[in-house]
Amino acid sequence: MRAGFELNFSNTLMRIFDPLSPQPRLPENFVWGVATSSFQIEGAATADGKGPSIWDTFCRVPGAIADGSDGQIACDHYKLWEEDLDLIAGLGVDAYRFSLSWPRIRPTGRGAWNEKGLDFYERLVDGLLERGIKPYLTLNHWDLPDALQASGGWANRDTVHRFVEYANAVDKRMGSRIAAITTHNEPWVMAVLGYETGIFAPGIKSRAAAAQASHHLLLSHGLALQSLREQGCKAKLGIVLNLSPVQPASETAADKAQAVLEDGKLLRWYMDPLFKASYPDDVLRYLGADAPVVCAGDLQTIATPMDFLGVNYYSRSVVSADGPWDVHKSGLEVTDMGWEVYPEGLTELLVRMHRDYPVPPMYVTENGGAFKDQYVNGRVHDADRVRYIAQHIQAVADAIEQGVNMEGYMVWSLLDNFEWASGYAKRFGIVHVDYETQRRTLKDSALWYRSFLQHQHAESLKQESLALGA
């Protein structure tokens, strides 16, 4: 029954990319993957010597998490990692993008290392390699050791040096087995949501602290790249940014000016120092006295060449000088997060970055949608998510057609998980998780992705065969 269902399912939904029609044109060595992050899936919050992170602390703040939940158990991946790796292998992906928990490896961010934490990630990496899956490791996906936050966290320059120590220790232990190392995931989120608006950990509300934190995150990225290369790191090195095309809500001069400023705060504030060794003048003027302290040589360090750039894309940003824009005005489909489904924005973004910056090869390191999934009779029929993923894969192919050097695409997320301030109310996974039983169930989107990848790999083999025959 299951095999028949999957065949019919594949035949129906593959019409989005009909095998008899032209397929998205993607490089032969294109990397397909799925992504997660440590705090969102691991649980085991105090197991085997792990220290508290800023998110462990933030979850205890009344009202901070929408459903009052926390990451104490999450998807229990710390215990169920082998089952999860088997699940990943069954999808037929090339790569798994995951993050390490810094306080699991170094509980207070300085001082003694936790061998049991390092051992866990070594087992994870070895398990991936045994299954033929490339490990794409992220060092910092927001869960800073809480002890470092007590000294100012990312607003304190000392945290930069503690991060470099952490990066070096990880590389020495397992770097030779890693395909790629990302320093930071989405520094904008850590700085703005964590230190300016305070809606994410650590819950600080200071524009000056946010600006300084953003600078220190970028500086630690550049210093870590330099230090890792000095000690002979074999993995490809890069950073991951959350980016969107920023569009004015109208053609008025005020809305256009607001869009330019918001683009500066979201995109150019990070891309300019990384690729031009400077911060954008308009954003510096906007910040005024809140602009970060930048020491001599910092910007040159931040601009240390990287091997890849990761782009996390979910939707466009529409802005108005009159205040927040009503996302429902466009008439487009809106996800459960309240974000428009706007795949053409991904093509626009990638082409713009290729045009405006000397970018290295790029990956879409996160892309996916939260929808109101229904688990019925052992199945989750999430056609909206299938459509979302298919459309965004096509958007990547369209960017490649326009000359953009793209090397991979990774779905967010492998599992339903702890969705930060939303708790467990929002589901991004292509695999459904029953949080009471920890049962995993492939959603229709996972079955479609698997079928799509099987077709991609078959086409690749066909082209190789034809090339050899020629």
Side-chain angles (χ1 to χ4, degrees):
M1 175 68 78
R2 175 173 178 142
F5 166 81
E6 291 182 3
L7 178 61
N8 292 334
F9 174 78
S10 174
N11 289 340
T12 300
L13 290 183
M14 190 59 75
R15 292 171 191 164
I16 297 173
F17 290 131
D18 186 340
L20 299 179
S21 302
Q23 294 289 296
R25 297 182 63 183
L26 298 157
E28 285 186 19
N29 60 347
F30 196 79
V31 174
W32 298 99
V34 288
T36 66
S37 86
S38 54
F39 190 82
Q40 292 179 273
I41 68 168
E42 284 182 1
T46 59
D48 295 333
K50 178 188 173 293
S53 79
I54 55 174
W55 273 94
D56 289 305
T57 300
F58 189 67
C59 287
R60 293 195 292 271
V61 176
I65 310 301
D67 59 5
S69 63
D70 55 42
Q72 294 292 305
I73 299 174
C75 302
D76 211 14
H77 173 74
Y78 190 75
K79 296 178 183 176
L80 302 176
W81 64 273
E82 290 185 278
E83 175 186 336
D84 290 340
L85 295 198
D86 287 341
L87 189 154
I88 295 168
L91 293 174
V93 298
D94 307 303
Y96 175 45
R97 177 176 176 251
F98 63 99
S99 73
L100 308 187
S101 167
W102 186 350
R104 194 179 295 285
I105 290 173
R106 202 179 198 187
T108 63
R110 54 171 64 88
W113 300 92
N114 181 22
E115 289 299 315
K116 289 185 177 179
L118 285 163
D119 288 346
F120 169 71
Y121 292 115
E122 281 201 282
R123 290 194 299 273
L124 187 68
V125 167
D126 290 343
L128 288 167
L129 295 175
E130 288 165 4
R131 292 165 175 80
I133 302 166
K134 298 174 183 176
Y136 278 62
L137 181 156
T138 299
L139 291 167
N140 174 31
H141 197 128
W142 310 351
D143 47 354
L144 179 77
D146 196 53
L148 291 182
Q149 185 58 44
S151 301
W154 286 110
N156 183 347
R157 194 176 177 98
D158 179 69
T159 301
V160 171
H161 304 293
R162 304 292 76 77
F163 177 77
V164 175
E165 292 172 353
Y166 161 56
N168 286 340
V170 169
D171 175 54
K172 287 176 182 176
R173 191 67 172 258
M174 62 194 85
S176 62
R177 290 165 280 170
I178 302 297
I181 294 176
T182 293
T183 52
H184 300 294
N185 179 78
E186 301 184 349
W188 179 91
V189 171
M190 285 182 278
V192 175
L193 301 189
Y195 286 84
E196 183 172 348
T197 67
I199 62 174
F200 275 17
I204 307 298
K205 296 181 180 180
S206 165
R207 192 173 75 167
Q212 196 64 59
S214 68
H215 177 66
H216 288 157
L217 284 158
L218 290 171
L219 178 61
S220 69
H221 157 79
L223 283 173
L225 259 58
Q226 292 177 358
S227 187
L228 287 169
R229 286 179 176 141
E230 285 173 6
Q231 72 174 22
C233 178
K234 294 180 172 62
K236 292 192 292 185
L237 303 175
I239 194 170
V240 167
L241 305 178
N242 58 298
L243 300 172
S244 301
V246 181
Q247 300 173 356
S250 75
E251 292 301 307
T252 65
D255 281 359
K256 288 182 177 180
Q258 189 67 34
V260 170
L261 175 61
E262 295 302 326
D263 174 78
K265 291 159 62 180
L266 174 66
L267 188 146
R268 289 182 285 113
W269 184 257
Y270 297 92
M271 291 293 290
D272 281 15
L274 287 167
F275 295 102
K276 297 180 179 181
S278 63
Y279 283 115
D281 289 337
D282 59 337
V283 183
L284 287 172
R285 288 194 298 272
Y286 163 79
L287 289 171
D290 290 336
V293 174
V294 178
C295 298
D298 281 3
L299 287 163
Q300 288 68 35
T301 297
I302 292 170
T304 298
M306 65 185 89
D307 302 313
F308 70 92
L309 175 65
V311 176
N312 292 352
Y313 175 83
Y314 292 93
S315 186
R316 66 174 174 173
S317 176
V318 180
V319 298
S320 168
D322 296 327
W325 183 72
D326 181 0
V327 71
H328 297 286
K329 284 185 176 180
S330 68
L332 298 175
E333 182 182 6
V334 175
T335 71
D336 198 29
M337 294 296 292
W339 303 339
E340 287 181 313
V341 178
Y342 193 75
E344 55 265 47
L346 177 55
T347 306
E348 176 187 332
L349 173 68
L350 296 173
V351 170
R352 182 262 182 102
M353 292 168 68
H354 169 73
R355 180 193 67 219
D356 291 357
Y357 296 94
V359 291
M362 291 189 287
Y363 293 78
V364 173
T365 37
E366 285 183 26
N367 177 244
F371 296 97
K372 293 186 181 298
D373 299 331
Q374 297 296 319
Y375 181 88
V376 180
N377 297 326
R379 299 249 55 94
V380 179
H381 301 304
D382 58 340
D384 38 16
R385 185 174 289 106
V386 173
R387 184 168 57 250
Y388 182 104
I389 294 170
Q391 290 173 337
H392 285 81
I393 290 173
Q394 183 61 58
V396 174
D398 292 344
I400 292 171
E401 284 290 316
Q402 297 183 55
V404 182
N405 186 1
M406 299 298 302
E407 290 195 346
Y409 172 89
M410 300 180 186
V411 172
W412 183 271
S413 174
L414 170 69
L415 303 171
D416 290 333
N417 54 42
F418 179 80
E419 188 49 42
W420 307 113
S422 299
Y424 295 98
K426 308 296 184 182
R427 292 179 178 266
F428 275 89
I430 59 173
V431 176
H432 181 273
V433 176
D434 182 320
Y435 297 117
E436 293 296 320
T437 66
Q438 294 299 334
R439 182 186 59 233
R440 274 78 158 134
T441 302
L442 298 181
K443 301 179 187 178
D444 285 358
S445 53
L447 299 175
W448 179 86
Y449 194 41
R450 182 174 68 188
S451 295
F452 173 74
L453 295 183
Q454 287 171 347
H455 185 74
Q456 288 288 312
H457 293 149
E459 282 295 303
S460 225
L461 289 172
K462 179 180 175 182
Q463 293 304 317
E464 286 179 18
S465 178
L466 289 172
L468 289 171

